[in-house]
Amino acid sequence: HLYKTQIRQLAEHFQIPGQFLTKPPSAGLWEGQTDESELEFSYDQADQVMWQYIDQKKKESEIAIDGQLEQAVVTKVIERIESHHFKHEVPYVM
């Protein structure tokens, strides 16, 4: 239940080697692939939206952009959250 920015802060606090902090997250399916290029937004941007949308229970129209985010990014992040919501539910077992 931690965001990427929080994980980075913990890693810095525990003095994890810099190579782990600076390497772009990637599934590693092909050379040069990064998660952020596939998502079309950064984890920092996603964290800002998720914190407001999930933790503060704000609607998309209420999310503060503060010149750092474009509305299109806010929409993409929320669409991604909604389309992957099922991954956070325990499957029904008989």
Side-chain angles (χ1 to χ4, degrees):
H1 294 264
L2 295 174
Y3 295 119
K4 288 275 191 202
T5 49
Q6 293 169 315
I7 296 295
R8 286 189 199 115
Q9 290 170 344
L10 282 172
E12 289 172 5
H13 174 77
F14 288 110
Q15 299 177 350
I16 302 296
Q19 66 192 28
F20 298 106
L21 296 172
T22 58
K23 183 176 184 272
S26 173
L29 299 176
W30 59 83
E31 186 70 28
Q33 177 195 25
T34 66
D35 293 353
E36 292 179 348
S37 65
E38 293 294 307
L39 292 170
E40 299 180 336
F41 51 80
S42 72
Y43 281 114
D44 290 343
Q45 292 171 319
D47 285 0
Q48 290 177 51
V49 175
M50 290 189 299
W51 178 71
Q52 293 180 69
Y53 186 71
I54 297 170
D55 296 346
Q56 295 187 324
K57 311 271 190 252
K58 291 185 177 181
K59 296 178 184 174
E60 181 176 347
S61 61
E62 299 172 326
I63 293 177
I65 297 175
D66 296 333
Q68 298 177 8
L69 296 173
E70 296 177 14
Q71 186 61 45
V73 170
V74 174
T75 300
K76 282 181 188 179
V77 172
I78 291 173
E79 285 174 353
R80 187 102 178 157
I81 291 167
E82 295 302 324
S83 69
H84 290 81
H85 184 71
F86 69 95
K87 293 181 178 183
H88 296 277
E89 296 176 6
V90 178
Y92 179 75
V93 178
M94 294 177 95

